[in-house]
Amino acid sequence: MKMIIIFCITFTCGFLENVISNANPLPYEAIFNFGDSISDTGNAATYYPSVDGDSPYGSTYFKHPSGRMSNGRLIIDFIAEAYGLPMLPAYLNLTKGTQDIRQGVNFAFAGATALNMDYFIQKRLIPPSTNISLSVQLDWFKKLKPSLCKNKQECDNYFRRSLFLVGEIGGNDINALILSYKNIAELREIVPLIIEAIINVTTELIEEGAVEIVVPGNFPIGCNSAVLTIVNSGKKDEYDQYGCLAAYNDFIKYYNSRLNQAIEILRQKNNHVKIVYFDYYGNAKRLFEAPQQYGFSFGKIDTFKACCGKGEPYNVDIHIFCGSFASTVCSDPSKHINWDGAHLTEAAYRLIAKGIVEGPFASPSLKSPTFKIA
């Protein structure tokens, strides 16, 4: 009789646990991410291994280089945490049997472009640092797919509960023109090509079964420390009241408006799919407009100074990389928006992620997160 009672209690507890678990599943079963260094969690670091154990990258949060181009976590890390999922493993760093790829994988690669290398060669532009374009990342996903699900029905059910992020991507395509010409006259002609590449990959993911996809816009590059250093304009009227290059930000607003138009057309063609736009421009721009409000150093120059680097006036020199012998690291990265010239600090990425997950910079909104971003 005693054994029967114990069995009944055990069975009831197990049953209730399953009911509660099924009643409160995670908002997303998995996250699959494509992009460049803004969201690469280790693909480029695996592809180009470094033996530099003294690198300041990853030093704030991970206490060692983590394959991320920042001092700590990236936007994608905060998003995964908010939805109760582990940080996404990098595709090139997957070790058979040691990671649960069913909760998501990261295909983003630092230096990646939306367009393939052929475009830059044909146009005689300074080529990107890698040929791992967005289409290559899509191929990686397709190769991994049989390990995620076995047939169409299983894949459709699984991807229906997954979140896909296509970017941010396109920033390196734009940077290639800036490095080659140092002006924005030639930039507009590349916009339709970048957007076409992004929409094509997004369409293919929809065909693969994705039903909730994020297509982010681009950042205010006129406030980027590396761009400010490269352009190095001595004309005061080329800067806005906050210290950003106005024409470059106007270009990004044009780019984002064209991307939004393409997204709307894609929505109309796929009304069963939720396509979310991340307003990275507005999300990041607010930090540069009111840095003191968010705890950052402020002033026409101090707001844009990179934490890690070397050079005047923004502590950036494209020939002296963060982590090199000549570079220095600031004492408190949390007071800086910019980390190394091209990338932001964990503190800035946390605020941007918070603006996405908790609003108002995702349109339409993502599902309600499991956890608040602290």
Side-chain angles (χ1 to χ4, degrees), residues 220-229 244 249 288 304 338 341-344:
I221 61 171
C223 306
N224 182 277
S225 304
V227 174
L228 285 164
T229 300
C244 303
N249 280 347
F288 295 104
F304 304 97
N338 193 285
H343 310 98
L344 306 186

Side-chain angles (χ1 to χ4, degrees), residues 205-219:
L205 287 171
I206 291 171
E207 292 169 355
E208 294 289 340
V211 297
E212 185 161 352
I213 306 179
V214 172
V215 181
N218 221 305
F219 290 83

Side-chain angles (χ1 to χ4, degrees), residues 45-68:
T46 301
Y47 197 83
Y48 304 112
S50 171
V51 293
D52 185 4
D54 295 326
S55 171
Y57 286 91
S59 57
T60 300
Y61 181 80
F62 300 97
K63 308 304 180 185
H64 59 80
S66 63
R68 292 159 173 81

Side-chain angles (χ1 to χ4, degrees), residues 59 137 141 162 196 207-208 249 254 280 311 328:
S59 57
Q137 295 176 31
F141 169 75
S162 301
E196 182 182 17
E207 292 169 355
E208 294 289 340
N249 280 347
Y254 166 77
Y280 277 154
T328 59

Side-chain angles (χ1 to χ4, degrees), residues 333-349:
S334 70
K335 297 296 183 185
H336 289 253
I337 299 173
N338 193 285
W339 166 245
D340 63 0
H343 310 98
L344 306 186
T345 59
E346 180 185 82
Y349 284 143

Side-chain angles (χ1 to χ4, degrees), residues 57 59 81 102 137 146 158 192 200 220 249 262 279 289 297 338 368:
Y57 286 91
S59 57
E81 288 178 2
R102 289 271 307 178
Q137 295 176 31
Y158 172 49
N200 286 344
N249 280 347
D279 178 15
E289 291 177 352
S297 299
N338 193 285
S368 296

Side-chain angles (χ1 to χ4, degrees), residues 4-73:
I4 293 173
I5 293 171
I6 293 171
F7 171 79
C8 289
I9 292 171
T10 304
F11 174 81
T12 302
C13 290
F15 175 76
L16 288 173
E17 182 180 345
N18 285 332
V19 169
I20 293 168
S21 175
N22 290 331
N24 296 285
L26 292 174
Y28 300 107
E29 188 170 327
I31 297 176
F32 297 98
N33 183 73
F34 305 80
D36 55 27
S37 58
I38 300 299
S39 60
D40 182 358
T41 55
N43 282 311
T46 301
Y47 197 83
Y48 304 112
S50 171
V51 293
D52 185 4
D54 295 326
S55 171
Y57 286 91
S59 57
T60 300
Y61 181 80
F62 300 97
K63 308 304 180 185
H64 59 80
S66 63
R68 292 159 173 81
M69 301 296 283
S70 183
N71 61 304
R73 290 164 290 182

Side-chain angles (χ1 to χ4, degrees), residues 176-187:
L177 269 75
I178 293 174
L179 286 169
S180 298
Y181 300 122
K182 292 190 180 181
N183 66 60
I184 60 171
E186 293 85 359
L187 288 180

